[in-house]
Amino acid sequence: MSIYLDHAATTPMIEDAIAAMSAQMVALGNPSSLHTPGRASRKVIEQSRESLAAEIGCAPSEIIFTASGTEANNTALKGLYWKGRSVGRNVVVISAIEHHAILDPAQWLVNHEGAEVILIGTTNEGVLNISQLAELISRRADEIAVISVMHSNNETGVVQPIAEVVAIGNAHSIPVHCDGVQSFKKVPLSFSDLQLTALSLSAHKIGGPLGIGILVLKRGLEIPALLHGGGQEREIRSGTLNAPAIVGFAASARADYPSDQVNQLRDELAAGIVRVIPDAYINGSGERLPGIVNATFPGTESDTLLLLFDGQGIAASTGSACSAGVQRPSHVLLAMGHNDKSARSSLRFSLGATTTRDEINELLTALPSVIERARAANLR
Ligand SMILES: Cc1ncc(COP(=O)(O)O)c(C=O)c1O
């Protein structure tokens, strides 16, 4: 038995993306070259850019290809910070539940570039505390270089009130960046409707290839680059464009994501967990991504759970970083009011387009004995 419930970490490539990518892998030509093979590569990239722009709700010229969501986040956060700092703004405002691909560059800006970072907390349900943000802006708007809040959280799936964040930012001419990596194609997300300044996306979360991301950056806005070289992508991201990965990304973005089906299975899993383990509880509520269920199992350790599930052929995740073999409690769950112990007793199951009801049922069948053994191990 092999059940993969870690689709939020990465999900299988869809067949159309594999086919499109495979065809492009045998095509010759650097897209920056002026000869015929080069222009042919450039053409497929520009067609892919147009097709992606239609899915994202932005202009093709607003798309900057990067090598990952992490790179898009770093480029946006550092670039917007440096732009703000050049006019005397050195404060970076982010939510306390951001992915490490925002938390860590923000901390780097503190350590190396004179930034002050302010974290905005969440409710116990994992939703950004908008009144805390509004109160901060009312006092310090003139000092803020950038606000960055994720569209939905990768550990709990809770969708964040981005439209309200943008309304606050725009009222004070503060650029707003949004990490949309988990939301793209799963819940409605349009760059132009949201009036964002910048948005990060990644292909491997939606059935595209690993190692290709997008930074959508508002038309006309220029920010300092992280990579310098050939001047590609508005001189913000130098480097030969990865034509096969870009074509694969575009193919995956054109495919429909089966939101209703995944939503249904997510709800069945969440209800099943609290039915078979009565003292377990689900973290986060309100509007959520279709695929994510984060549950706390009191009296267990999440890394023990992970290994016990793995022994049963079930792949899940803690969602939090593991450093030098020591599992740290999730910063997301801590921000939602968990203590160290309960945060360390939590696990994320993430479903995808290929997840079946049989898999959910098999997980629920395995759950009581896994929890029993994890509890016994915890008492030793
Ligand atoms: C919310 C969020 N942001 C950013 C990333 C990083 O994306 P990538 O794996 O493309 O670097 C991830 C991946 O786990 C994510 O979940």
Side-chain angles (χ1 to χ4, degrees):
M1 178 170 71
S2 167
I3 298 179
Y4 185 78
L5 289 170
D6 201 13
H7 289 266
T10 197
T11 198
M13 277 185 75
I14 62 166
E15 279 181 17
D16 283 356
I18 295 172
M21 192 169 177
S22 307
Q24 192 57 36
M25 280 170 87
V26 293
L28 178 65
N30 184 320
S32 297
S33 298
L34 292 179
H35 46 58
T36 304
R39 290 204 313 274
S41 268
R42 168 62 62 182
K43 190 171 168 198
V44 293
I45 286 176
E46 295 315 320
Q47 284 166 343
S48 299
R49 198 190 295 276
E50 279 172 26
S51 150
L52 282 157
E55 296 296 331
I56 300 166
C58 68
S61 62
E62 291 178 315
I63 289 179
I64 294 168
F65 288 111
T66 64
S68 60
T70 300
E71 188 193 331
N73 277 349
N74 270 263
T75 307
L77 199 76
K78 293 173 183 170
L80 290 169
Y81 168 73
W82 285 322
K83 197 169 173 70
R85 191 180 61 178
S86 69
V87 293
R89 294 166 177 253
N90 79 323
V91 175
V92 172
V93 178
I94 62 176
S95 84
I97 58 168
E98 293 302 305
H99 188 274
H100 276 283
I102 284 291
L103 287 179
D104 292 12
Q107 187 56 44
W108 184 87
L109 289 171
V110 172
N111 296 347
H112 300 281
E113 295 292 311
E116 176 188 352
V117 171
I118 298 178
L119 299 181
I120 305 296
T122 72
T123 65
N124 287 349
E125 299 307 328
V127 181
L128 185 83
N129 192 333
I130 276 286
S131 51
Q132 190 190 345
L133 176 67
E135 193 277 328
L136 172 72
I137 305 283
S138 71
R139 287 187 291 112
R140 302 190 62 182
D142 294 349
E143 301 168 61
I144 299 171
V146 53
I147 301 171
S148 181
V149 174
M150 65 202 329
H151 196 274
S152 60
N153 183 265
N154 50 296
E155 292 188 33
T156 60
V158 175
V159 175
Q160 302 299 319
I162 297 304
E164 291 175 59
V165 174
V166 176
I168 292 172
N170 284 358
H172 295 89
S173 304
I174 301 169
V176 176
H177 165 259
C178 178
D179 177 342
V181 166
Q182 290 290 345
S183 285
F184 184 46
K185 294 299 293 181
K186 299 182 184 141
V187 287
L189 168 59
S190 159
F191 183 75
S192 56
D193 287 357
L194 280 172
Q195 297 184 31
L196 286 163
T197 307
L199 171 71
S200 299
L201 304 173
S202 177
H204 73 101
K205 309 289 186 182
I206 63 162
L210 290 154
I212 182 77
I214 285 177
L215 170 62
V216 188
L217 187 66
K218 203 172 179 165
R219 197 186 312 235
L221 179 65
E222 301 307 329
I223 56 173
L226 297 185
L227 301 185
H228 302 92
Q232 290 90 344
E233 302 299 89
R234 286 158 62 181
E235 299 202 1
I236 292 170
R237 207 284 186 175
S238 282
T240 302
L241 286 167
N242 185 348
I246 289 170
V247 172
F249 194 171
S252 65
R254 280 191 296 270
D256 284 333
Y257 181 82
S259 293
D260 290 349
Q261 171 194 319
V262 185
N263 255 326
Q264 171 75 27
L265 292 178
R266 176 206 64 195
D267 288 348
E268 288 178 22
L269 175 57
I273 287 173
V274 294
R275 188 178 65 245
V276 299
I277 310 293
D279 61 345
Y281 52 93
I282 306 299
N283 296 301
S285 68
E287 195 192 344
R288 273 175 302 154
L289 291 179
I292 294 182
V293 176
N294 190 306
T296 301
F297 300 99
T300 69
E301 284 274 353
S302 39
D303 39 8
T304 312
L305 286 177
L306 207 67
L307 294 175
L308 287 170
F309 275 120
D310 194 49
Q312 304 276 312
I314 299 172
S317 163
T318 60
S320 62
C322 177
S323 119
V326 181
Q327 193 66 44
R328 282 182 279 162
S330 149
H331 66 280
V332 174
L333 296 179
L334 292 178
M336 290 165 65
H338 275 261
N339 57 34
D340 264 33
K341 198 169 164 205
S342 61
R344 276 182 213 273
S345 315
S346 306
L347 216 56
R348 176 187 75 183
F349 302 100
S350 52
L351 291 60
T354 52
T355 304
T356 63
R357 178 162 289 121
D358 282 352
E359 290 179 324
I360 298 302
N361 289 339
E362 283 185 41
L363 164 64
L364 291 171
T365 305
L367 195 56
S369 77
V370 166
I371 298 300
E372 195 182 322
R373 280 188 283 157
R375 286 181 173 156
N378 207 19
L379 292 176
R380 269 189 229 129

